[in-house]
Amino acid sequence: MNITTITTIVSYPASAYVVRCCSKHERHSKQQPNNIMINGTTLRSSAVKVVESVVASTTLDHSVVTVNGNNNGQRQNIPTKKQLVDPHRQGLMVEGGVGYRQTIVIRSYEVGPDKTATLESILNLLQETALNHVWMSGLLGDGFGATHGMIRNDLIWVVSRMQVLIDYYPIWGEVVEIDTWVGASGKNGMRRDWLIKSQATGHIFARATSTWVMMNRKTRRLSKMPEEVRDELVPWFIEKQAIEEEAPEKIVKLNKQAKYMNSDLKPKRSDLDMNQHVNNVKYVRWMLETIPDHVLENHQLSGITLEYRRECGSADIVESLCEPEEDEMVSNLMEQHYNTSLLNGLSLASSSAAEIINGGGVLTCIDPIQRPIRYTHLLQTKGEKQNDEIVRGRTSWKRKLSTMHLPPNTICGM
């Protein structure tokens, strides 16, 4: 049966949305086959099966749950069954219906002075797409990403490790696609990965991976994964990794002799998330505030690894320690002669980036000695008797293209 145009009504409590597969006469270009159009907005799909599945299921069930005497459940319309298309967030299920893809436009408040997305914005987008993935799965209860089985067992998710590698930063107004999926991590953990890529070119901007474990909401102690929760999660696991890493590099613990320190940091009420502890993005902000100004002005962060030790509450006083992994003077001298981070911060949608990647002659002439600047970080609470670790971290920094002074004969053939 050949289908060129499919139309179905997706029912919601207060409104209706038209979801259809564009006919070949309605497609914008030959490079965009198998599109999904939602209320006039076209979303790219990796498989026609996604649309066919939507057509096969014309009614979307949503929960109406009363929580603590209020009607938050009715206001949120949390799905009780798996959904394949999200018209509100421009999201859809991929990877055979178990992965999630969301199309996002980089907004003005998500960029810094150089008009590129900030690290905090990228981390917030990773968190948002992860939660939207759970939302679409039909597993979400009234918790912060917790499933129905987790809520019955008073469990919440906490992240134990996270790594983000950024090759290029999206710019203001750029359209990106964020793919996310989950997999097993040992017996009691879950891995979540992300890919951020340009919708225009398909080039990958950033990769991220994380490991999550469960904590008892009342005792605040780590917990094993109950069988009923395992049964909920396992059907969603994918054996694919955004970042291949055989043996994670250990992050050493810093002491009071660290070169840079910022003390007496106090969480604000706005720093707390729905689980009543300091949000992960706030940790990163505290870490980056200890990076020297000359590094922040001339470099962009290309990688960050975080190892979480304990949660941070509203009553904690925090210290942020930072130590360069090598002598900064030596590193700066090396940069003057070996500037190889030529593309960092440059949008791949631009023609100049495409020329370089397609053999413009720059990358083949790069001296292999050059490497990014790296810093080790530690956030810890200040106590009367001892300081408790909150999170250890490592950041890598590459020179911004706009601040580089290229040595003679950097470009091949010149």
Side-chain angles (χ1 to χ4, degrees):
M1 172 175 158
N2 296 323
I3 301 177
T4 57
T5 302
I6 304 172
T7 302
T8 183
I9 299 298
V10 182
S11 299
Y12 283 85
S15 57
Y17 299 85
V18 177
V19 181
R20 60 192 176 90
C21 176
C22 299
S23 70
K24 57 186 177 181
H25 298 293
E26 295 171 310
R27 292 170 186 160
H28 294 291
S29 67
K30 294 182 180 180
Q31 287 72 32
Q32 291 185 320
N34 305 329
N35 293 330
I36 292 178
M37 182 171 287
I38 301 177
N39 285 4
T41 301
T42 301
L43 301 178
R44 293 169 56 191
S45 172
S46 60
V48 178
K49 292 182 179 179
V50 174
V51 180
E52 293 173 341
S53 299
V54 173
V55 176
S57 178
T58 58
T59 302
L60 305 185
D61 294 327
H62 292 73
S63 63
V64 180
V65 182
T66 299
V67 181
N68 296 329
N70 60 45
N71 64 342
N72 287 345
Q74 186 174 10
R75 292 170 60 188
Q76 290 175 301
N77 293 322
I78 300 175
T80 57
K81 294 183 179 180
K82 183 171 78 171
Q83 311 302 313
L84 296 175
V85 176
D86 186 347
H88 299 291
R89 301 174 180 84
Q90 293 200 16
L92 69 159
M93 289 296 192
V94 294
E95 298 283 354
V98 294
Y100 179 71
R101 173 176 299 160
Q102 186 167 343
T103 303
I104 292 172
V105 180
I106 302 300
R107 298 172 175 84
S108 59
Y109 55 81
E110 295 172 328
V111 302
D114 59 356
K115 297 183 181 180
T116 64
T118 64
L119 176 65
E120 292 180 31
S121 295
I122 290 176
L123 294 177
N124 280 325
L125 290 175
L126 298 183
Q127 176 176 284
E128 181 67 13
T129 51
L131 290 172
N132 291 342
H133 184 200
V134 183
W135 182 288
M136 293 280 286
S137 71
L139 298 177
L140 182 67
D142 65 342
F144 196 34
T147 67
H148 300 288
M150 292 175 64
I151 292 174
R152 285 191 289 270
N153 288 273
D154 282 323
L155 298 175
I156 60 176
W157 286 115
V158 290
V159 60
S160 62
R161 189 175 187 274
M162 188 166 192
Q163 182 182 16
V164 182
L165 300 179
I166 304 175
D167 292 324
Y168 310 95
Y169 282 78
I171 62 175
W172 174 38
E174 192 160 21
V175 182
V176 299
E177 292 179 342
I178 303 179
D179 286 11
T180 185
W181 63 93
V182 293
S185 178
K187 293 182 179 180
N188 295 299
M190 184 182 74
R191 190 193 73 250
R192 176 173 287 279
D193 289 15
W194 295 266
L195 283 179
I196 302 179
K197 54 188 176 182
S198 165
Q199 188 191 57
T201 66
H203 290 298
I204 295 175
F205 288 137
R207 306 170 185 267
T209 187
S210 60
T211 304
W212 298 77
V213 292
M214 295 182 185
M215 172 187 287
N216 186 284
R217 182 175 58 86
K218 295 178 179 178
T219 66
R220 314 308 283 186
R221 294 181 179 274
L222 296 183
S223 171
K224 292 183 178 180
M225 183 182 295
E227 285 302 316
E228 68 168 315
V229 176
R230 192 184 311 277
D231 292 341
E232 289 177 316
L233 297 176
V234 168
W236 294 86
F237 286 173
I238 299 176
E239 293 299 323
K240 183 175 74 169
Q241 297 183 15
I243 300 175
E244 298 287 344
E245 192 176 29
E246 296 181 358
E249 187 178 357
K250 183 179 179 180
I251 301 177
V252 300
K253 181 181 179 180
L254 298 181
N255 54 39
K256 286 286 189 177
Q257 282 69 48
K259 187 171 183 178
Y260 304 106
M261 181 184 299
N262 195 353
S263 299
D264 299 324
L265 299 170
K266 184 72 169 65
K268 300 176 182 179
R269 184 179 298 272
S270 59
D271 296 329
L272 303 181
D273 61 24
M274 287 185 275
N275 286 330
Q276 300 303 311
H277 56 218
V278 174
N279 187 275
N280 300 324
V281 177
K282 183 63 178 184
Y283 295 153
V284 174
R285 187 181 307 165
W286 282 337
M287 285 184 175
L288 298 188
E289 287 175 354
T290 60
I291 296 292
D293 288 341
H294 72 272
V295 174
L296 295 175
E297 291 171 359
N298 299 313
H299 296 74
Q300 281 183 319
L301 186 142
S302 59
I304 183 169
T305 302
L306 302 169
E307 294 180 355
Y308 297 89
R309 305 289 172 167
R310 54 153 287 183
E311 62 179 339
C312 177
S314 58
D316 290 325
I317 305 297
V318 180
E319 285 184 333
S320 179
L321 310 179
C322 175
E323 181 74 23
E325 291 196 1
E326 63 182 18
D327 188 273
E328 290 174 299
M329 183 68 71
V330 174
S331 178
N332 289 335
L333 288 174
M334 289 177 63
E335 282 192 359
Q336 293 178 15
H337 298 286
Y338 302 103
N339 280 306
T340 60
S341 305
L342 298 179
L343 298 181
N344 195 60
L346 185 64
S347 171
L348 284 177
S350 67
S351 60
S352 57
E355 290 174 2
I356 293 174
I357 290 175
N358 293 328
V362 177
L363 299 182
T364 57
C365 308
I366 294 175
D367 194 305
I369 285 180
Q370 172 65 11
R371 58 186 181 274
I373 302 174
R374 301 209 309 177
Y375 289 87
T376 301
H377 303 263
L378 174 66
L379 293 182
Q380 62 183 9
T381 60
K382 293 179 62 177
E384 294 181 0
K385 296 182 179 180
Q386 65 178 13
N387 298 328
D388 291 331
E389 291 184 81
I390 300 174
V391 58
R392 296 184 189 183
R394 176 183 293 113
T395 56
S396 300
W397 302 78
K398 290 183 178 181
R399 191 88 170 174
K400 291 181 181 179
L401 179 66
S402 59
T403 64
M404 289 192 307
H405 302 287
L406 299 179
N409 302 323
T410 299
I411 308 299
C412 291
M414 297 182 63

